[in-house]
Amino acid sequence: MHNFPYQKILIVRLSSLGDILLTTPLIRSLKNTNPKLEIHFLLREEYQDVLINNPYISKLITITREDSSSRTKDILQQNKYDFVIDLQNNLRSRHLTNGLKCPKVRFKKLSWQKFLLVKFKINELSEAPPIPGRYASVIDDLKLDDEGLDLFTDKKPSESLAELTNLIGFCPGSKHYTKMWPKEYYIELGKKIIDNGFNLVLFGGKDDKDICNEIATNVTKCINLCNDNDILQTATDMKLCKAIICNDSGLMHAACAVKVPVMAIFGSTVKEFGFTPYRSKNLILENKSLTCRPCSHIGKSSCPKGHFKCMKEITPQLVHNSLIRFLDQS
């Protein structure tokens, strides 16, 4: 695409952390096709820091979970957009944008293909590009550049990391149990890492405080930087790490966005869903021997089979050995 033909557009992706980060290659590529393009972005207010410093965005419009849609719809109407890109494509995003008198495109969720893979293990997603490429495919002829995700932070590193070297980060949290490597495994791996002369840092948000506190209690000398969802501080501190070890989570994408090598442990989910580390140095650890994977495209609160082999058979020793090899290649 030589020149995106619109002057003022709205992009909609209301949530969540990882999904919003995965929109950033599209944002950057659109702006680069037309530097005069005015890009507005609609998202839930708790995620605004993800994009607040993004130089390619002209305006953020935030909405709360409880917001009456009428107020937001009035704001959108007044802005007189030429074009709408709905990357959420659910009932709420359609309700918010349906009244706008301009062309609209919406993200194709491939729900049927995901259903076939989860329920019947019929894989029609093997050729599907990662999510940033699928977001970009809503625009005819748009080619993404070779860069990765964007997360611009203006914070200073935490004082507790001053003068420390050989940092390895853990992001042990996830919204869903089946996407979370067991905490006792993180504890065992943490002890091995510290015994090997590394410094260990824990990252997470509000929902991760219990697991981070438990790991910190059981692994002496580790630094617990779990916070109240201050993604910009987390991103700044992540930059100091040699590698981040994480689950398939939003913080995995945050680490990729600040160009830190990532080792991601995938349990109930698989690469075909498209939420893999994007254009960054990474290693995905997964148990490919199981016929029950994937059991869900987003994760579950318990293992449907009761054995949780997708995570439990990825041992701390295996991850430790993989980390040493991974660091040697970095």
Side-chain angles (χ1 to χ4, degrees):
M1 176 184 289
H2 297 298
N3 191 25
F4 190 60
Y6 301 101
Q7 296 304 310
K8 188 177 186 181
I9 69 168
L10 174 70
I11 299 176
V12 182
R13 181 73 223 195
L14 303 176
S15 62
S16 292
L17 172 60
D19 302 277
I20 293 168
L21 283 167
L22 291 167
T23 70
T24 57
L26 169 64
I27 295 166
R28 183 179 63 243
S29 296
L30 283 174
K31 186 70 172 182
N32 286 339
T33 66
N34 177 5
K36 293 182 178 179
L37 178 65
E38 188 176 338
I39 300 175
H40 292 194
F41 199 107
L42 175 64
L43 75 171
R44 287 223 310 267
E45 67 176 4
E46 63 263 39
Y47 300 112
Q48 64 181 317
D49 283 356
V50 179
L51 299 177
I52 200 161
N53 297 314
N54 191 305
Y56 308 111
I57 294 175
S58 305
K59 184 176 184 180
L60 293 180
I61 302 167
T62 61
I63 187 170
T64 67
R65 280 181 186 271
E66 300 77 24
D67 256 353
S68 76
S69 294
S70 59
R71 183 189 69 86
T72 304
K73 288 182 78 164
D74 287 345
I75 292 170
L76 300 182
Q77 290 276 11
Q78 291 163 15
N79 285 331
K80 295 184 169 55
Y81 297 111
D82 305 321
F83 192 66
V84 172
I85 302 171
D86 179 4
L87 300 178
Q88 190 80 38
N89 193 7
N90 64 8
L91 288 174
R92 191 175 198 195
S93 67
R94 284 175 173 264
H95 176 64
L96 288 166
T97 58
N98 271 346
L100 300 177
K101 304 287 191 266
C102 65
K104 304 175 191 71
V105 291
R106 303 190 195 275
F107 174 54
K108 295 177 179 62
K109 292 188 171 183
L110 304 183
S111 299
W112 176 244
Q113 291 89 332
K114 288 187 285 191
F115 175 80
L116 288 175
L117 184 53
V118 169
K119 295 298 183 185
F120 302 106
K121 307 305 181 263
I122 297 170
N123 188 358
E124 295 191 354
L125 292 172
S126 58
E127 302 300 317
I131 291 297
R134 285 173 48 195
Y135 283 160
S137 69
V138 303
I139 309 293
D140 290 340
D141 301 323
L142 178 66
K143 296 278 192 294
L144 295 180
D145 58 30
D146 293 329
E147 301 300 315
L149 309 180
D150 287 326
L151 178 52
F152 299 93
T153 176
D154 52 4
K155 298 286 184 88
K156 293 180 179 177
S158 295
E159 288 185 12
S160 56
L161 300 183
E163 300 177 22
L164 290 180
T165 58
N166 273 357
L167 295 175
I168 301 294
F170 281 4
C171 302
S174 179
K175 283 186 180 177
H176 302 279
Y177 171 82
T178 58
K179 292 172 72 174
M180 199 180 301
W181 200 49
K183 62 188 173 188
E184 59 269 23
Y185 282 17
Y186 272 110
I187 289 167
E188 186 179 335
L189 178 61
K191 291 175 179 176
K192 288 179 184 293
I193 283 173
I194 288 175
D195 287 346
N196 255 8
F198 293 98
N199 286 297
L200 178 61
V201 191
L202 305 180
F203 297 111
K206 279 182 181 176
D207 294 340
D208 308 320
K209 289 200 168 180
D210 287 346
I211 188 171
C212 285
N213 287 340
E214 189 161 349
I215 294 170
T217 299
N218 286 277
V219 183
T220 56
K221 298 183 184 175
C222 84
I223 300 155
N224 187 358
L225 293 184
C226 189
N227 59 41
D228 290 329
N229 297 341
D230 187 345
I231 187 60
L232 296 181
Q233 188 63 58
T234 295
T236 295
D237 292 333
M238 278 180 166
K239 290 181 186 182
L240 301 177
C241 294
K242 286 180 172 289
I244 299 287
I245 299 173
C246 56
N247 308 312
D248 174 9
S249 67
L251 287 184
M252 174 187 77
H253 299 296
C256 293
V258 292
K259 317 301 185 255
V260 180
V262 166
M263 278 181 54
I265 305 167
F266 276 43
S268 60
T269 52
V270 293
K271 298 175 186 176
E272 283 86 347
F273 295 140
F275 293 92
T276 49
Y278 183 71
R279 293 195 183 278
S280 65
K281 181 173 177 56
N282 73 85
L283 175 66
I284 294 175
L285 298 175
E286 57 184 335
N287 188 343
K288 295 182 179 179
S289 69
L290 301 172
T291 56
C292 52
R293 288 182 71 232
C295 64
S296 163
H297 76 277
I298 55 170
K300 287 179 172 287
S301 58
S302 62
C303 170
K305 299 287 187 182
H307 54 61
F308 204 31
K309 288 182 179 179
C310 62
M311 284 298 198
K312 287 189 173 177
E313 291 187 352
I314 301 175
T315 64
Q317 188 64 54
L318 186 153
V319 177
H320 178 265
N321 294 346
S322 299
L323 173 65
I324 300 307
R325 289 194 298 271
F326 186 62
L327 292 174
D328 286 343
Q329 297 161 5
S330 294

